[in-house]
Amino acid sequence: MKSVTLRAYAKINISLDVVGKREDGYHLLRSVFQGISLYDDIQVVRDGGEQGITITCNLPYIPTDERNIVYKVALAFFKEAGITDYSVSIDLKKNIPSGAGLGGGSADGAAVFSALCRLYNVSFPTQKATEILTPLGADIPFFLHSGTMLAEGVGEILSPLPPLKDCHIVLAKPRAGANTKAIFTALAETGIPAHPDTDGVIEGLKNQDLSLIAKSAGNVLENVTIPLCPPIQRLKETLQQQGATLALMTGSGSTVFGIFEDEKAARNAARILRKYTQNVFTVRPICRPMRTE
């Protein structure tokens, strides 16, 4: 096998809570991750060229050197696999917006790791893969599984949950981005006035009850991100006005998502949101696991 092509699927946070902070400064989360059908196309080729890692991308502003997370993942793979003679080309066709809270870079990293396992016939148990990938991106291990999962710790402690009821999810990202470091600095200054009911979200998933999920869900970063990126509020309000059962910012932003049971309502909301931003997508919940063993 000389080439592997995979889809790297994005995710949303159905709910996101910050429950503490480690001594090293990393925040402890309790969040419900949900895989969605928006994806990047990743092709990894084991070639006969000069030793090294070559990255190409369809977007000129994405770095293609050691700053790119897939480069770091590939380097870590070869180190852990004990492979010193390697030559790979990685082509990224990006559809997932960057800096959006959708985990695009981490999804790409998980896809590259899985592709390299196949190309070099190397097997890593899930726990070992998690140990390798977490220092490079705390949410990368989720993308090896996708689906619906409770994420704890810094995002690497994962527990499977009942799947989200099939629905229509509208994503809208404003042109402006959100600086994660500035967001967590603001969170430390302002504190958290109210926490989401994560257990209520889990109960809603068990009962396939979108109304209970909406009632229980929340994102504690919204209060500090919206003042830094005001267009988020307009997108969220538009989704609510169009009948979204749940409208929420995902991750640290700046993407907002709305969950709809009715496809027509979802498509109408997407049409209206395009008046404010071109980064609008209509997607579905999915589970597409990668393979490492």
Side-chain angles (χ1 to χ4, degrees):
M1 185 184 297
K2 293 186 177 181
S3 174
V4 172
T5 301
L6 294 173
R7 289 179 173 180
Y9 288 93
K11 65 123 179 86
I12 56 172
N13 301 76
I14 296 178
S15 191
L16 193 162
D17 196 7
V18 175
V19 297
K21 194 174 183 180
R22 300 196 315 195
E23 290 184 2
D24 60 8
Y26 283 94
H27 289 81
L28 297 172
L29 309 178
R30 196 161 188 252
S31 180
V32 176
F33 287 177
Q34 175 61 54
I36 56 173
S37 58
L38 178 65
Y39 61 87
D40 292 339
D41 284 305
I42 311 296
Q43 183 182 49
V44 183
V45 178
R46 182 177 177 178
D47 54 40
E50 257 184 62
Q51 178 170 320
I53 301 163
T54 303
I55 301 173
T56 55
C57 184
N58 61 318
L59 300 180
Y61 54 83
I62 299 293
T64 55
D65 54 19
E66 63 275 2
R67 293 171 294 169
N68 195 303
I69 195 167
V70 304
Y71 187 101
K72 298 173 184 178
V73 165
L75 209 58
F77 168 85
F78 290 122
K79 179 181 178 182
E80 293 295 333
I83 298 170
T84 56
D85 184 17
Y86 56 83
S87 178
V88 293
S89 299
I90 302 169
D91 183 56
L92 311 176
K93 286 189 172 57
K94 297 288 296 177
N95 300 302
I96 304 169
S98 300
L102 297 168
S106 293
D108 295 348
V112 166
F113 190 83
S114 180
L116 290 171
C117 286
R118 302 180 197 198
L119 285 172
Y120 286 86
N121 197 27
V122 173
S123 176
F124 288 106
T126 299
Q127 184 56 43
K128 181 60 178 177
T130 298
E131 291 173 8
I132 296 169
L133 295 171
T134 298
L136 305 176
D139 58 351
I140 298 178
F142 166 76
F143 293 100
L144 296 176
H145 307 277
S146 192
T148 312
M149 304 194 85
L150 176 66
E152 298 177 286
V154 295
E156 86 288 9
I157 302 171
L158 300 166
S159 304
L161 293 173
L164 177 66
K165 176 182 179 181
D166 190 33
C167 57
H168 305 272
I169 303 169
V170 179
L171 310 173
K173 179 191 178 296
R175 182 173 297 181
N179 183 287
T180 302
K181 184 177 180 181
I183 288 163
F184 278 100
T185 298
L187 185 72
E189 294 172 354
T190 63
I192 300 172
H195 293 268
D197 178 8
T198 308
D199 290 333
V201 174
I202 295 171
E203 188 66 24
L205 289 167
K206 289 178 180 177
N207 295 325
Q208 298 283 282
D209 186 342
L210 290 179
S211 295
L212 178 57
I213 292 171
K215 177 182 176 182
S216 307
N219 182 340
V220 297
L221 300 181
E222 274 193 351
N223 288 339
V224 292
T225 304
I226 289 173
L228 297 172
C229 186
I232 291 172
Q233 184 64 35
R234 179 171 59 185
L235 298 179
K236 182 178 177 181
E237 289 175 353
T238 300
L239 285 164
Q240 291 169 333
Q241 291 163 2
Q242 296 307 309
T245 303
L246 171 64
L248 202 65
M249 185 184 80
T250 182
S252 58
S254 57
T255 299
V256 178
F257 68 89
I259 292 179
F260 294 82
E261 294 195 65
D262 180 70
E263 182 178 7
K264 185 177 179 180
R267 294 196 178 281
N268 188 57
R271 179 182 59 80
I272 293 171
L273 286 164
R274 289 191 181 96
K275 297 177 183 178
Y276 307 117
T277 175
Q278 291 304 303
N279 284 314
V280 178
F281 308 88
T282 303
V283 300
R284 306 287 280 272
I286 56 98
C287 180
R288 299 286 190 275
M290 299 291 181
R291 189 179 77 196
T292 60
E293 58 182 346

